[in-house]
Amino acid sequence: MSGEVPAKHTGLRRVLRGPRPENVPLLVGRACALVGLLDIAAGVFPRFRHSRMHALAEVLPGSFGPFAAALSLSAGVLLLLLAHGLKRRKRRAWRAAVALLPLGAVAQFSYRHSLLGVVISLALLAPLLRHRDQFAALPDPRSRWRALANFVLMSAGSLTLGLLVVNAHPHRMIGDPSLADRITHVLYGLFGVEGPVDYRGNTSWTVAFSLGALGLLTAVTTVYLAFRPEHPAARLTEDDETRLRALLDRHGGRDSLGHFALRRDKAVVFSPSGKAAVTYRVVSGVMLASGDPIGDVEAWPGAIERFMDEARAHSWTPAVMGCSETGGEVWTRETGLDALELGDEAVVDVADFSLAGRAMRNVRQMVKRIERAGYETRVRRVADLSDAELDRVRRAADAWRGTDTERGFSMALGRIGDPSDGDCLIATAHKQDPEPGEFGDLKAILHFVPWGTDGVSLDLMRRDRAADPGMNELLIVAALQAAPRLGIARVSLNFAMFRAALARGEKIGAGPVLRVWRGLLVFLSRWFQIESLYKFNAKFRPRWEPRFVVYRASADLPRIGFAAMQAEGFVTLTLPRFLRRGAPARRPCAHGVSERGARAA
């Protein structure tokens, strides 16, 4: 008889043993969040302190002594701040909780002689100590911006809670102070100064200590974040870049996004053999890899394992943006993650491209019209440009950028004309004007990065807003026509998100769900250029290569999406350009294509 235990009995035994150890941080984090919310409620709402729920809340850590309301608010906010770190298995959050809970237990016993309060504190402390090995995650990369963000968020939260505290005692309030007086009272109280609102009895004293506690918490947490040692985000070192270039020289033809791994604002992990690597950036606790691993396919599992080890060490959420079908299969097989089709990459085979035929009539007519208007094109390698011309191209590309920040992460290199990128391709459009502008006759730029030895991948598109429409079509056609003499057999164009849904949704016979989904994508295209990129790419009759996002759980997708938008530059912490003194506002792109040429919508 086999000694294996049937699955159903195994599950039963697991239930009887209690929660799995890996779930302990999540459970403890939720418990701390619940305790924090109850503490805040006990400190803010007088009725709550006389309700049945307060029978539990008053014995929670922080609800002791003559400063019960203020201490409840302080403990509640601190526990809420710690809850997220505990869920992410952060070591520092564990240390803070281990220090806070015993103090709460001692205070409960010393001030209230409450054994139940001691038991609840120790009940939360016990799993923290028993499973301390589960809380080993290292700190995230951080900067001084965290202190500013903490000050803004904590100030807003303290103001909101302060207004609740001030308005929670209507029957003890003297007179009927205006909203402005109540806000002024909160602002004064956060700095420990008595405001214009007064109460009967000891309520003024209670409100004052509660507001003071909130102000002190805001100050202490901000000062801590401002003066703690800074851990800047990792950057690609010269040695890392040299090793990656060597891998691309041997295996760069496999993935059109391979060269984008050389962005210098990414970090990298190599396989134990050094024959493969994964580049990534950490954004809001999400470890974002881009494209397929670099290097020998047989060594990919080793690099992926190192990537996952790094994610576990810091408790980051692992995710991959824009990997190919082969890459998605390897990622899901080696890690147990899931994959979701994100969109399609437009790839044009140079040998099959032609302007002849009815399907290319619109592009053909546009190109001929622009050429008759006096425009000419030049397609060259970066190494073939003089220093003066390369400097002019760089300045023009920056001036014509339609956003405040340089966008791109997974499908953009983020630089032009670097000495190490001499094999990149630049297509430029020129026209002589009666009065030459700042950049002479230069009117538009396309920049391509190498894709192995016989391909290029579109990096960015920039054009003078005063130039005639159709510059992008003109330069793409010029690049495709010049490709044979440059030894280029394939050209990767823009990436079209959700292309399959847009294409199927507009066909006859599409179902109602698909039509609704397409309608939503068309609506979102007003801001993210989803439909316009698809239609622009389709003009050149490309073949479509699917690209995928790899993720751990469906619940992570919103967080991954937001982190990807931050990485691509769609969400930034900088002020809008029109609010900056002396900085002219940029006009939005006048064409339907992303003005940066980045290939993620």
Side-chain angles (χ1 to χ4, degrees):
M1 180 177 177
S2 173
E4 297 181 358
V5 180
K8 62 180 181 179
H9 296 299
T10 303
L12 178 61
R13 290 175 60 188
R14 181 176 293 118
V15 171
L16 293 177
R17 285 198 302 266
R20 298 171 63 180
E22 57 266 28
N23 292 332
V24 170
L26 181 62
L27 296 176
V28 171
R30 289 175 177 173
C32 277
L34 177 61
V35 169
L37 289 174
L38 291 174
D39 274 345
I40 291 174
V44 171
F45 302 107
R47 293 183 180 179
F48 181 82
R49 292 197 293 272
H50 300 287
S51 67
R52 294 182 179 179
M53 279 295 293
H54 190 255
L56 172 63
E58 68 179 355
V59 297
L60 296 175
S63 300
F64 51 80
F67 313 108
L71 291 172
S72 290
L73 279 174
S74 302
V77 173
L78 286 174
L79 287 173
L80 282 178
L81 292 175
L82 291 175
H84 180 65
L86 291 173
K87 291 179 182 178
R88 295 187 59 204
R89 308 168 188 267
K90 292 298 183 181
R91 190 67 176 179
R92 288 187 174 180
W94 178 86
R95 290 171 178 168
V98 167
L100 177 64
L101 291 172
L103 289 176
V106 170
Q108 288 280 353
F109 185 77
S110 301
Y111 285 91
R112 292 181 52 86
H113 308 291
S114 172
L115 293 178
L116 183 57
V118 174
V119 169
I120 291 180
S121 296
L122 297 181
L124 280 174
L125 180 63
L128 285 174
L129 295 176
R130 180 181 178 186
H131 300 284
R132 57 184 177 274
D133 57 323
Q134 295 290 321
F135 300 89
L138 302 175
D140 293 345
R142 56 181 179 263
S143 67
R144 303 305 181 200
W145 283 105
R146 294 288 182 89
L148 178 60
N150 176 85
F151 176 76
V152 172
L153 294 176
M154 286 290 291
S155 297
S158 297
L159 179 61
T160 302
L161 286 175
L163 283 173
L164 289 175
V165 170
V166 169
N167 293 315
H169 311 272
H171 301 297
R172 292 182 174 271
M173 190 178 294
I174 298 177
D176 185 20
S178 65
L179 177 61
D181 288 337
R182 301 184 191 206
I183 294 176
T184 302
H185 190 83
V186 173
L187 294 176
Y188 282 7
L190 293 177
F191 290 94
V193 179
E194 188 68 27
V197 180
D198 200 6
Y199 301 86
R200 299 182 184 90
N202 294 327
T203 303
S204 292
W205 181 85
T206 302
V207 170
F209 270 91
S210 298
L211 295 177
L214 290 173
L216 182 62
L217 274 178
T218 302
V220 169
T221 55
T222 300
V223 169
Y224 167 73
L225 292 173
F227 290 98
R228 67 176 177 170
E230 185 174 5
H231 290 190
R235 292 291 185 266
L236 206 64
T237 65
E238 291 185 9
D239 179 63
D240 291 337
E241 185 172 340
T242 300
R243 295 175 67 184
L244 284 174
R245 288 186 182 274
L247 293 177
L248 287 171
D249 288 341
R250 293 192 295 269
H251 307 282
R254 210 209 58 78
D255 184 16
S256 65
L257 308 186
H259 199 85
F260 298 121
L262 298 177
R263 284 185 66 105
R264 289 165 186 159
D265 55 0
K266 292 183 178 180
V268 61
V269 289
F270 289 90
S271 65
S273 64
K275 295 181 179 180
V278 174
T279 58
Y280 67 92
R281 187 192 300 171
V282 179
V283 183
S284 298
V286 178
M287 191 176 182
L288 281 173
S290 56
D292 293 345
I294 306 300
D296 188 353
V297 176
E298 294 184 358
W300 283 7
I304 290 173
E305 183 179 0
R306 287 282 179 88
F307 176 88
M308 296 301 292
D309 288 343
E310 191 76 6
R312 280 189 290 269
H314 293 268
S315 191
W316 291 330
T317 299
V320 185
M321 300 297 297
C323 66
S324 68
E325 189 169 2
T326 300
E329 290 175 354
V330 177
W331 273 100
T332 55
R333 184 186 69 231
E334 296 296 327
T335 63
L337 302 177
D338 291 325
L340 178 68
E341 185 172 344
L342 187 61
D344 295 90
E345 176 186 12
V347 179
V348 178
D349 294 313
V350 174
D352 299 332
F353 177 77
S354 172
L355 284 177
R358 183 178 180 83
M360 298 296 296
R361 183 179 61 180
N362 290 337
V363 176
R364 182 173 63 251
Q365 291 176 346
M366 179 173 288
V367 170
K368 293 298 183 183
R369 177 180 57 79
I370 297 173
E371 289 177 343
R372 286 194 300 269
Y375 288 89
E376 64 174 22
T377 59
R378 302 169 193 169
V379 182
R380 295 159 290 174
R381 297 285 183 181
V382 168
D384 297 331
L385 274 71
S386 66
D387 292 341
E389 188 170 9
L390 195 55
D391 179 67
R392 182 174 61 154
V393 167
R394 276 195 293 256
R395 290 187 294 107
D398 181 66
W400 295 339
R401 188 176 65 231
T403 56
D404 294 338
T405 57
E406 185 75 60
R407 289 180 174 176
F409 162 67
S410 58
M411 303 174 187
L413 186 61
R415 61 180 184 266
I416 299 179
D418 190 276
S420 59
D421 296 325
D423 50 353
C424 289
L425 196 70
I426 286 185
T428 53
H430 304 263
K431 182 183 179 181
Q432 293 290 343
D433 292 327
E435 296 182 5
E438 179 183 359
F439 308 110
D441 63 349
L442 185 62
K443 299 300 179 183
I445 303 165
L446 257 63
H447 186 256
F448 298 83
V449 299
W451 175 11
T453 58
D454 63 346
V456 291
S457 188
L458 182 59
D459 175 28
L460 63 80
M461 297 177 176
R462 299 281 164 80
R463 71 178 183 86
D464 186 348
R465 298 303 189 272
D468 293 339
M471 290 292 102
N472 295 323
E473 289 90 338
L474 174 69
L475 288 181
I476 287 178
V477 169
L480 290 170
Q481 291 177 337
R485 69 175 173 82
L486 295 170
I488 296 171
R490 51 189 179 166
V491 177
S492 172
L493 299 179
N494 292 296
F495 171 74
M497 289 187 66
F498 308 115
R499 181 206 66 87
L502 289 169
R504 290 196 298 265
E506 63 185 356
K507 291 183 177 179
I508 297 176
V513 175
L514 189 57
R515 288 184 179 275
V516 170
W517 174 225
R518 181 182 180 278
L520 177 61
L521 293 177
V522 171
F523 175 75
L524 294 176
S525 295
R526 299 178 182 181
W527 297 278
F528 299 106
Q529 300 179 337
I530 299 173
E531 185 184 29
S532 58
L533 276 176
Y534 158 56
K535 290 185 174 181
F536 178 82
N537 294 333
K539 293 179 181 180
F540 303 96
R541 317 299 292 176
R543 56 182 169 89
W544 299 101
E545 297 289 341
R547 290 280 173 174
F548 299 84
V549 56
V550 177
Y551 59 98
R552 182 172 55 189
S554 298
D556 293 334
L557 285 174
R559 185 179 180 189
I560 292 171
F562 183 73
M565 292 180 68
Q566 287 180 282
E568 296 288 355
F570 287 100
V571 177
T572 64
L573 294 177
T574 58
L575 289 174
R577 179 170 289 271
F578 69 87
L579 292 178
R580 300 178 193 174
R581 182 177 299 177
R586 295 187 187 271
R587 287 176 290 176
C589 177
H591 197 77
V593 181
S594 171
E595 52 80 27
R596 65 184 173 94
R599 300 159 359 130

